[in-house]
Amino acid sequence: MSIALLRNYIDGSFVASVSTEAMDLVDPVDERVVGRAPISTREDVEAAVAAASRAFLTWGKTTPAFRQAVLLKLADAIEAHSDDIVEAQCRNTGQPRAVIATEEVAVAADQLRFFAGAARLLEGKAAGEYMEGFTSYVRREPIGVVGQVTPWNYPFMMAIWKIGPALAAGNTVVLKPSDTTPESTLVLARLSKDILPDGVFNVVLGDRSTGAALVSCPALGLVSITGSVRAGVAVAAAAAEQVKRVHLELGGNAPAVVFADADIDKAAAGIAEAAFFNAGQDCTAAARVLVHHSVHDQLVETLVKKAETLRPGLPEDPNAFYGPLNNIDHFTTVTDKLDALPSHARIVTGGKRVGDQGYFLEPTIITGVGQHDEIVQQETFGPVLTVQSFATESQAIDYANDVHYGLASSVWTRDHGTVERLTRALDFGAVWVNCHIPLVAEMPHGGFKYSGYGKDLSAYSVEEYTRIKHVMSTLH
């Protein structure tokens, strides 16, 4: 069977890359090659940016009401073609189809509707006479052409998180999806064809070299990436040479802090689901349990029982909680970390590959780890959960904050005072209380430290894609 070569989407049309190089797309369920994507060149990137620049001359002057109507129409198209998106993404990720449909496509359509409304609610300082004889006011304007890079863990929803606020604010976009999961983004491009004006949304396929060419393009006003810390550092460094704005949403290594008075059954269920959803390939996933020593054994026992019910499976399996890891390189990285665990660490459940085909890994829980162990300090991004005990509240806070990341966290307790102290002390962009991982479009998502800067979702994300201009005029 011949494998089709995917094409870029530039200026409202699917076009072949000028590149002669291409890469295989591998289904992580059975390791079959299901497609080929071009490794687009700087010439491809420049063509996409040129199209976006032309489109901005008109799109950047549209009214918020016009942009809202267009984005609402695109959200309707996403819902109407959910099956197409699910099938395209499933080929690249192996996620359960039902999960893609309900937790990604439907949610993304709702989020796009939020961004459509947010287009009409941009705020600024009230016009007034802040100096005698002069009137001042603030214009909030689109930046222009923005470059965006999306990851492979939630490829469709992350595309919406990128283009939604950017387009709502009046910018035009050149987006590079992950090299392993481009197909659902191309479906989005196809759906946008008769909705968005040509050149407003462009998709360029490729690898790291393509991303580097995009980031370094001088015509871009901002670059946004969701990805690894390594990738974020590279993007920030390249953008700095042109004093270009950067929006970074990078890795996470979220603690779940469980106090002795917590509902242990509820905590175990919530933490296990937040740890193993999407095979742990979520930057907000519960990764590190910190539990009071008096309930350590009880929590571990309950976590193990829950974990053993959250099994991986095939996309069509209605009982599968998650699918495979995304690609062989990542699968090898995760399993190598498990193989390199220090002797004092103990895998109490999981740790093994499931089957001999595909990149499936058992839900894994590790106890006996130390604060400075690599498995604790570094993001695993797989179905792996570590458990440590603490004796005092201050020790729990120290353990929680003592990593390079600062994206998400959770606190499990019945005590209001503990909640108030911990939500203030935890150095993370999100703190959940007696839950872990739910997101809503109205609230910001983004972290501190090595987890990056800038916010996705909420009105704050729309503001990220604007620039502020002070206008002052004399009254005389």
Side-chain angles (χ1 to χ4, degrees):
M1 181 178 69
S2 61
I3 301 297
L5 181 65
L6 303 180
R7 295 183 296 168
N8 296 325
Y9 183 74
I10 299 175
D11 207 13
S13 298
F14 285 97
V15 296
S17 167
V18 302
S19 174
T20 58
E21 295 185 86
M23 51 196 170
D24 291 338
L25 301 178
V26 176
D27 186 334
V29 170
D30 55 19
E31 303 176 57
R32 292 183 303 113
V33 175
V34 293
R36 285 178 63 76
I39 302 176
S40 296
T41 66
R42 182 173 296 277
E43 186 176 345
D44 295 308
V45 168
E46 290 175 349
V49 171
S53 297
R54 292 190 297 271
F56 178 70
L57 297 176
T58 301
W59 180 257
K61 297 176 182 177
T62 57
T63 65
F66 178 85
R67 297 195 295 274
Q68 179 191 40
V70 171
L71 293 179
L72 289 174
K73 189 175 181 181
L74 183 57
D76 290 343
I78 288 169
E79 283 189 336
H81 294 85
S82 175
D83 289 347
D84 293 345
I85 299 166
V86 169
E87 287 306 310
Q89 182 152 309
C90 189
R91 282 193 298 272
N92 294 167
T93 66
Q95 295 165 288
R97 288 185 175 86
V99 171
I100 301 174
T102 59
E103 301 299 323
E104 195 157 346
V105 179
V107 171
D110 174 72
Q111 291 165 342
L112 190 57
R113 291 190 176 104
F114 169 81
F115 291 128
R120 304 182 71 165
L121 291 174
L122 288 174
E123 297 180 351
K125 197 173 183 69
E129 288 67 54
Y130 299 94
M131 178 182 290
E132 186 176 347
F134 297 87
T135 296
S136 289
Y137 64 92
V138 168
R139 288 182 54 85
R140 191 177 283 277
E141 301 176 339
I143 295 169
V145 181
V146 299
Q148 301 179 321
V149 180
T150 52
W152 45 253
N153 57 333
Y154 298 109
F156 186 80
M157 188 164 65
M158 292 299 97
I160 296 300
W161 284 23
K162 295 300 183 195
I163 73 167
L167 299 182
N171 303 281
T172 55
V173 170
V174 178
L175 186 146
K176 191 199 86 66
S178 168
D179 54 347
T180 62
T181 58
E183 292 195 68
S184 61
T185 304
L186 293 178
V187 175
L188 176 62
R190 173 169 61 82
L191 296 179
S192 75
K193 166 62 180 171
D194 296 321
I195 299 174
L196 293 172
D198 293 348
V200 168
F201 173 45
N202 306 272
V203 180
V204 178
L205 309 180
D207 61 6
R208 292 180 185 177
S209 66
T210 311
L214 177 62
V215 171
S216 63
C217 187
L220 300 182
L222 178 145
V223 178
S224 174
I225 178 174
T226 296
S228 67
V229 173
R230 175 201 54 77
V233 169
V235 167
E241 294 182 1
Q242 299 170 356
V243 198
K244 186 181 300 178
R245 289 174 60 178
V246 179
H247 178 282
L248 304 177
E249 199 279 280
L250 309 178
N253 193 5
V257 185
V258 183
F259 286 88
D261 68 333
D263 182 328
I264 297 301
D265 289 339
K266 180 180 178 180
I271 292 168
E273 291 173 2
F276 305 127
F277 183 74
N278 202 35
Q281 298 170 129
D282 188 314
C283 52
T284 63
R288 301 179 291 133
V289 174
L290 306 173
V291 57
H292 192 267
H293 64 83
S294 65
V295 292
H296 174 276
D297 293 350
Q298 180 186 356
L299 180 66
V300 169
E301 180 182 357
T302 313
L303 277 171
V304 168
K305 289 179 180 177
K306 180 64 178 180
E308 291 174 348
T309 70
L310 304 176
R311 63 178 182 81
L314 299 175
E316 61 273 13
D317 183 350
N319 297 314
F321 186 68
Y322 63 88
L325 297 181
N326 180 256
N327 56 78
I328 184 59
D329 290 342
H330 184 55
F331 179 82
T332 301
T333 297
V334 174
T335 53
D336 283 351
K337 287 182 178 179
L338 296 179
D339 291 341
L341 287 173
S343 59
H344 54 262
R346 175 177 171 238
I347 296 178
V348 293
T349 190
K352 299 183 181 64
R353 182 176 188 170
V354 178
D356 56 6
Q357 187 179 57
Y359 311 130
F360 296 92
L361 189 64
E362 294 176 329
T364 302
I365 297 175
I366 307 168
T367 61
V369 293
Q371 181 65 19
H372 299 293
D373 291 344
E374 182 180 359
I375 198 71
V376 171
Q377 287 294 315
Q378 298 300 319
E379 180 182 36
T380 301
F381 215 62
V384 177
L385 184 64
T386 63
V387 183
Q388 299 167 260
S389 63
F390 64 84
T392 65
E393 182 178 303
S394 62
Q395 186 180 48
I397 293 168
D398 289 344
Y399 282 174
N401 290 340
D402 183 27
V403 292
H404 289 308
Y405 307 89
L407 184 59
S409 59
S410 62
V411 179
W412 301 78
T413 179
R414 290 183 171 97
D415 184 76
H416 177 73
T418 302
V419 169
E420 291 300 306
R421 291 190 300 275
L422 267 289
T423 52
R424 179 190 302 180
L426 290 174
D427 195 16
F428 298 85
V431 184
W432 287 290
V433 179
N434 294 325
C435 59
H436 192 117
I437 223 170
L439 295 169
V440 292
E442 293 83 356
M443 290 294 157
H445 171 81
F448 313 137
K449 301 188 292 188
Y450 279 41
S451 292
Y453 43 83
K455 298 296 183 183
D456 291 320
L457 298 177
S458 79
Y460 295 103
S461 72
V462 182
E463 291 180 1
E464 295 275 344
Y465 289 94
T466 66
R467 64 182 191 180
I468 296 173
K469 179 185 291 182
H470 169 218
V471 178
M472 178 180 263
S473 59
T474 179
L475 298 179
H476 304 292

